[in-house]
Amino acid sequence: MTIVFRRVLWSSILLDPRRSFERVSLPIEARFDPLTGRVCIISELRFSLPAKTDFSEIAKATEMFCPFCPARVETATPMFPEEFIPNGRIRIGEAVVVPNLMPYSQYSAVTVICQKHFVKMTEFTQKVLADAFLASQEYLKRVALHDRSQKHFLINWNFMPPSGGSIIHPHLQPVSYEEPMGYYARQLEDSKKFHENHGYNFWEHLVEEEKRLGERYLGATGAIHWITAFAPRSYLFEVIAVFPKKTSILELEQSDIENFANGLVRILNYMDTQNISSFNLTLQSGPLNEHHYRVNASIIPRFTLPPLGTSDTASLRALNDLSVCYKKPETTCNELKQYF
Ligand SMILES: [Zn+2]
């Protein structure tokens, strides 16, 4: 075995006021991401959210000004220059791709997913999601044709305000970079090192190992494999999707995107049962023909905690780049597996 799921177990001894100051030992686990070594502290609290956040009031209040609603999308959103994208926007089904007014790079867009302003977690269909990812892929294909220096692509989704979403109307954010950026750059570099050291692809091997261990492997939708991350980047869980044999979003077939959307609908349905109403998603793509990498995606829930509206991102995560998780990935896998 060349993938190492490294964990260190500790216990914290204290005299607990809830048990007449009885001496108790609280177990804590540090887990190291098998690719990058990034650390997640697991402190099991059997944590669950007490209720769903109701966004219907804020949805009603924002609908009449929303630039992504069908009545305004033609007049209130920007257009791409004619020499880049003829007709100024890309449309597939209900999805519309427009330039991002607050760009994150030279090539930064927004994909309005559907015509409906407020969509609840369980209302997304495979067809609507697949069209939105296909439209985002089409945009990135045009970027790659227009500017050959562009090789690194992300498609992100911030769903609802706790995730950083500033517009209720559901939208994706495809973005392109000339060189790898952020945590993706670390994953790409470490995938290359893994390939050099062991002679095979980390991502393909991860799927095989997780299948063999059976503790975090959720299942497959077509060719796409789904796993709960060993060292999650959220208080509750992180789900990873791996696209075998594909290194770039540019080479995904329609069936790959439909299968991805299929898995996503299952995860959204599960999150709804856990009272989760907001999430972040990233779909990451390496350059074409970089055989040490695979297209992959990550999804994490986002929320605020009652009664104070406490954020789910504190100093350890925001400044120390140290994740904290209150639920074991294996527990989430057992629950979520039933949806696959
Ligand atoms: Zn809208």
Side-chain angles (χ1 to χ4, degrees):
M1 189 182 86
T2 44
I3 287 192
V4 180
F5 295 103
R6 185 180 167 221
R7 58 182 100 186
V8 178
L9 306 178
W10 297 311
S11 51
S12 177
I13 310 286
L14 51 87
L15 308 183
D16 191 342
R18 297 163 298 184
R19 298 189 201 175
S20 313
F21 295 95
E22 190 185 315
R23 185 183 175 93
V24 295
S25 168
L26 302 176
I28 310 149
E29 198 177 322
R31 292 193 180 190
F32 299 78
D33 182 83
L35 179 62
T36 63
R38 177 186 47 75
V39 178
C40 173
I41 305 293
I42 297 189
S43 179
E44 211 176 1
L45 286 186
R46 308 229 170 254
F47 178 96
S48 62
L49 291 171
K52 279 174 219 174
T53 309
D54 183 3
F55 295 110
S56 55
E57 282 304 310
I58 189 134
K60 220 179 283 171
T62 54
E63 189 165 8
M64 63 170 91
F65 310 106
C66 174
F68 298 162
C69 274
R72 279 168 301 276
V73 73
E74 296 284 343
T75 53
T77 62
M79 294 170 77
F80 296 106
E82 191 69 17
E83 72 279 7
F84 173 31
I85 291 172
N87 307 321
R89 298 185 183 99
I90 296 168
R91 289 178 179 275
I92 294 181
E94 289 186 39
V96 189
V97 188
V98 303
N100 195 334
L101 263 178
M102 291 180 288
Y104 301 112
S105 81
Q106 273 167 285
Y107 301 99
S108 181
V110 169
T111 304
V112 179
I113 294 178
C114 55
Q115 296 191 333
K116 199 173 171 195
H117 178 68
F118 176 45
V119 184
K120 288 182 188 159
M121 202 83 107
T122 51
E123 292 174 342
F124 287 102
T125 63
Q126 179 183 328
K127 162 100 175 88
V128 157
L129 292 178
D131 283 350
F133 280 96
L134 281 165
S136 305
Q137 181 200 37
E138 181 58 29
Y139 164 71
L140 296 172
K141 282 181 175 175
R142 308 262 189 116
V143 169
L145 276 176
H146 180 73
D147 182 344
R148 303 246 168 217
S149 72
Q150 300 296 311
K151 293 190 170 117
H152 304 274
F153 311 116
L154 307 174
I155 300 176
N156 282 357
W157 187 359
N158 304 322
F159 182 70
M160 292 295 143
S163 72
S166 58
I167 293 180
I168 295 291
H169 201 126
H171 57 285
L172 306 177
Q173 299 188 330
V175 62
S176 167
Y177 290 103
E178 199 174 321
E179 58 183 288
M181 298 280 181
Y183 187 64
Y184 156 75
R186 190 165 150 194
Q187 285 181 319
L188 193 65
E189 181 60 29
D190 288 347
S191 299
K192 193 176 179 183
K193 280 187 204 154
F194 187 93
H195 197 267
E196 282 164 5
N197 291 340
H198 303 292
Y200 46 80
N201 181 287
F202 169 82
W203 299 91
E204 304 273 353
H205 193 49
L206 176 72
V207 169
E208 287 315 308
E209 272 302 282
E210 290 290 22
K211 261 185 176 175
R212 189 182 68 79
L213 294 167
E215 296 180 317
R216 291 172 297 272
Y217 182 77
L218 292 165
T221 50
I224 321 296
H225 295 278
W226 301 84
I227 296 161
T228 55
F230 174 72
R233 288 178 286 178
S234 95
Y235 278 176
L236 286 174
F237 61 86
E238 173 177 356
V239 175
I240 301 172
V242 180
F243 293 65
K245 299 191 172 73
K246 305 287 163 71
T247 68
S248 167
I249 286 174
L250 303 181
E251 62 184 336
L252 296 185
E253 288 159 32
Q254 183 165 340
S255 61
D256 291 324
I257 290 178
E258 285 166 357
N259 289 331
F260 177 63
N262 179 309
L264 214 47
V265 167
R266 295 165 197 262
I267 293 167
L268 298 187
N269 280 303
Y270 165 71
M271 288 203 283
D272 187 69
T273 66
Q274 302 297 302
N275 292 333
I276 295 161
S277 319
S278 176
F279 62 87
N280 292 117
L281 175 150
T282 187
L283 178 61
Q284 310 185 119
S285 161
L288 282 166
N289 304 319
E290 290 229 359
H291 296 300
H292 50 81
Y293 199 69
R294 290 292 179 265
V295 175
N296 66 86
S298 275
I299 300 127
I300 55 166
R302 297 299 307 275
F303 45 84
T304 52
L305 288 166
L308 303 181
T310 304
S311 165
D312 65 358
T313 301
S315 294
L316 278 177
R317 178 83 182 99
L319 297 175
N320 306 109
D321 198 18
L322 202 55
S323 308
V324 177
C325 189
Y326 295 118
K327 189 168 179 176
K328 289 202 168 170
E330 296 74 25
T331 308
T332 301
C333 180
N334 271 336
E335 294 170 359
L336 181 47
K337 210 189 265 181
Q338 292 157 32
Y339 291 77
F340 279 81

